[in-house]
Amino acid sequence: MKKYDYLIVGAGLFGATFAHLMQSRGRSCLVIDKRPHRGGNIYCENVEGINVHKYGAHIFHTSDREVWDFVNRLVPFNRYTNSPLANYEGRLYNLPFNMNTFYQMWGVRTPAEAQARIESQRQEALDAMRRAGVDEPRNLEEQALLLIGRDIYERLIKGYTEKQWGRPCTELPAFIIKRLPVRFVYDNNYFNDDFQGIPIGGYNLLTDALLDGVEVRCNTDFFADRAAFEAQADRVVFTGKIDEYYGYRFGQLEYRTVRFEEEVLPVSNWQGCAVVNYTERAVPFTRIIEHKHFERFGSAVDDQPVTVISREYSTEWQAGLEPYYPVNDARNTALYQQYRALAEAETNVVFGGRLAEYKYYDMAPVIRRALDMAAAEK
Ligand code: FAD
Ligand code: UDP
């Protein structure tokens, strides 16, 4: 008899959700995480009474009612609606691409005028693709030109994307940009989903609720004593890097990581909203987050005399840094498939989450995945 039914490597959203579900079915779980805290990338730190998203801005959004009900049963969510701005050469544009953006870009006021502008630019992109003998966009640049045309691509997409991914848009997969909404109404809500918000009191409350009563050991790296950990449980749920699990035997998967420069400022309201993207290449950071706006609305922003901002710098991942975004280009996708084949042959190990599945997952799909994978357990 082993001591635990499950050893769960990683106390991030996937590991915590899986542990919660299995514990509620009477299974014993040990969760370990190499970081000094629980929650993985959704972890927040309280600075001057403000919840600072330590690993970048996190906005929960979904149309999956079961996932929304699941998280709201654990902690109620507020009404935060993400409506970021883009700053290009000092001018501000609304995101996502909508009638406000088109008015700011071209002075057009009606959907018909905006559609005509975009359509003529899309036509140029289509003609160029036809001349090249292709009918599907081969990369992010072609996808963006086809979606929204050259003006917006050059001012609001190209520089930001190349900073974020460290690669030319012509070498990035088209799907990254497909998730950006384009709409011909005056609506700055970044997401199309039915539900969105931030847990009232911050994400740590969600993590606490998920891990309530579960044994968790932080500062504990699976690879420091792998055999001993494996010997303690019938099954392993692994949410770390899949290439590391297999000793990098086929080579390393690439990631992008983010460096945060945090500043406490002696003003109550610095930029007037949570997220401002800096879309030109010459500005070295990608965006500035002002954390209090996730949880304080209207005049409540002024209740505190200070604010906390973070500048985000995107860089290539190296050993010792946190891996953030999988780089799903052709090389990495093929490499992942090799590791995936090994994972599928395992009988006692489950791989879940952003790193183990090498997938650009948002929070709600991670929870959906954990719900489904836990349901599939005997
Ligand atoms: P993680 O949170 O990475 O958890 C994995 C855990 O495993 C980590 O805590 C790690 O320390 C631990 N671990 C790894 N290896 C080992 C080991 N060897 N031993 C022990 N422990 C180990 N999603 C949204 O829905 N909305 C957003 O606005 C949003 N913004 C984001 C912004 C940024 C900058 C990033 C990077 C992600 C964002 N996401 C967002 C995605 C969101 O963070 C993820 O979907 C979610 O946190 C993934 O959870 P996870 O458990 O798969 O991974
Ligand atoms: N993007 C862009 N300009 C922006 C915001 C986003 O070009 O101002 C592109 C960029 O390629 C990015 C993708 O859209 O990688 C998805 O952005 P989103 O903000 O949805 O994702 P996140 O980086 O927050 O996961």
Side-chain angles (χ1 to χ4, degrees):
M1 258 297 269
K2 303 222 175 163
K3 192 165 173 211
Y4 300 97
D5 294 316
Y6 289 92
L7 169 74
I8 299 174
V9 181
L13 197 53
F14 186 94
T17 305
F18 196 95
H20 178 84
L21 296 166
M22 295 322 290
Q23 176 169 273
S24 67
R25 281 167 54 181
R27 308 292 168 81
S28 56
C29 301
L30 169 64
V31 180
I32 59 170
D33 202 298
K34 63 181 179 184
R35 297 189 201 179
H37 59 75
R38 315 172 321 164
N41 286 348
I42 67 171
Y43 172 71
C44 295
E45 190 179 279
N46 191 294
V47 179
E48 307 271 353
I50 295 162
N51 284 318
V52 173
H53 295 203
K54 276 314 228 196
Y55 299 90
H58 276 73
I59 300 116
F60 199 97
H61 58 99
T62 186
S63 291
D64 186 331
R65 180 172 277 283
E66 196 186 335
V67 167
W68 184 243
D69 289 345
F70 173 78
V71 291
N72 275 274
R73 273 197 300 273
L74 297 167
V75 48
F77 276 56
N78 71 20
R79 64 155 182 88
Y80 176 78
T81 300
N82 199 32
S83 34
L85 290 168
N87 180 320
Y88 178 78
E89 294 185 342
R91 287 183 67 91
L92 295 178
Y93 297 88
N94 285 111
L95 294 172
F97 310 129
N98 74 88
M99 283 307 298
N100 289 306
T101 330
F102 308 141
Y103 175 67
Q104 290 146 352
M105 184 74 53
W106 301 305
V108 294
R109 290 181 175 80
T110 65
E113 287 171 307
Q115 275 156 351
R117 280 277 184 159
I118 291 171
E119 197 42 46
S120 77
Q121 298 195 9
R122 289 185 69 236
Q123 210 50 53
E124 285 169 30
L126 266 175
D127 291 345
M129 279 171 57
R130 261 192 222 112
R131 281 195 301 277
V134 287
D135 41 35
E136 281 294 314
R138 289 167 297 183
N139 54 52
L140 193 149
E141 176 169 294
E142 286 180 357
Q143 177 67 57
L145 291 172
L146 211 57
L147 190 71
I148 199 73
R150 186 162 292 280
D151 288 345
I152 289 183
Y153 171 65
E154 283 181 351
R155 282 187 231 175
L156 303 184
I157 297 175
K158 189 171 192 294
Y160 185 89
T161 300
E162 294 191 346
K163 278 193 288 190
Q164 176 165 4
W165 295 98
R167 288 157 177 75
C169 288
T170 47
E171 287 174 21
L172 286 165
F175 81 85
I176 292 177
I177 202 85
K178 272 191 195 151
R179 56 194 240 152
L180 283 186
V182 177
R183 46 173 102 101
F184 295 94
V185 286
Y186 288 93
D187 177 3
N188 298 328
N189 179 354
Y190 198 63
F191 301 115
N192 284 326
D193 291 301
D194 293 342
F195 315 109
Q196 70 178 296
I198 306 285
I200 294 172
Y203 282 96
N204 294 354
L205 296 186
L206 176 61
T207 304
D208 289 347
L210 286 168
L211 290 172
D212 187 26
V214 176
E215 186 178 345
V216 184
R217 291 187 211 152
C218 292
N219 295 305
T220 306
D221 190 337
F222 174 67
F223 297 111
D225 208 353
R226 179 175 188 157
F229 284 122
E230 283 168 343
Q232 290 187 55
D234 291 328
R235 284 172 73 66
V236 174
V237 175
F238 186 77
T239 77
K241 291 167 70 226
I242 190 168
D243 52 352
E244 189 175 14
Y245 185 89
Y246 288 111
Y248 302 108
R249 71 179 71 166
F250 303 124
Q252 281 203 6
L253 290 164
E254 292 172 298
Y255 292 89
R256 294 294 288 169
T257 190
V258 188
R259 180 171 65 81
F260 301 97
E261 241 175 48
E262 198 178 297
E263 232 185 299
V264 180
L265 299 171
V267 293
S268 60
N269 186 4
W270 187 72
Q271 66 182 13
C273 69
V275 183
V276 180
N277 292 356
Y278 286 76
T279 57
E280 73 207 75
R281 194 72 208 246
V283 175
F285 43 84
T286 48
R287 56 188 182 186
I288 301 183
I289 308 301
E290 185 171 6
H291 299 268
K292 66 161 41 172
H293 295 291
F294 290 123
E295 297 186 56
R296 284 178 183 76
F297 309 122
S299 56
V301 166
D302 300 321
D303 291 350
Q304 289 159 308
V306 293
T307 195
V308 184
I309 61 164
S310 304
R311 291 184 181 79
E312 296 189 3
Y313 297 82
S314 179
T315 57
E316 200 68 19
W317 178 80
Q318 300 162 10
L321 300 176
E322 286 299 339
Y324 282 91
Y325 296 99
V327 181
N328 295 104
D329 60 9
R331 174 199 169 269
N332 288 301
T333 304
L335 189 53
Y336 170 66
Q337 288 312 327
Q338 288 182 275
Y339 287 117
R340 183 71 214 150
L342 297 180
E344 272 164 14
E346 302 279 358
T347 48
N348 278 325
V349 191
V350 172
F351 293 82
R354 254 201 178 195
L355 303 173
E357 297 186 71
Y358 198 64
K359 196 165 170 194
Y360 192 57
Y361 268 133
D362 275 333
M363 292 179 278
V366 162
I367 293 177
R368 165 48 59 201
R369 187 86 174 124
L371 288 168
D372 292 346
M373 285 170 81
E377 291 291 296
K378 283 203 224 63

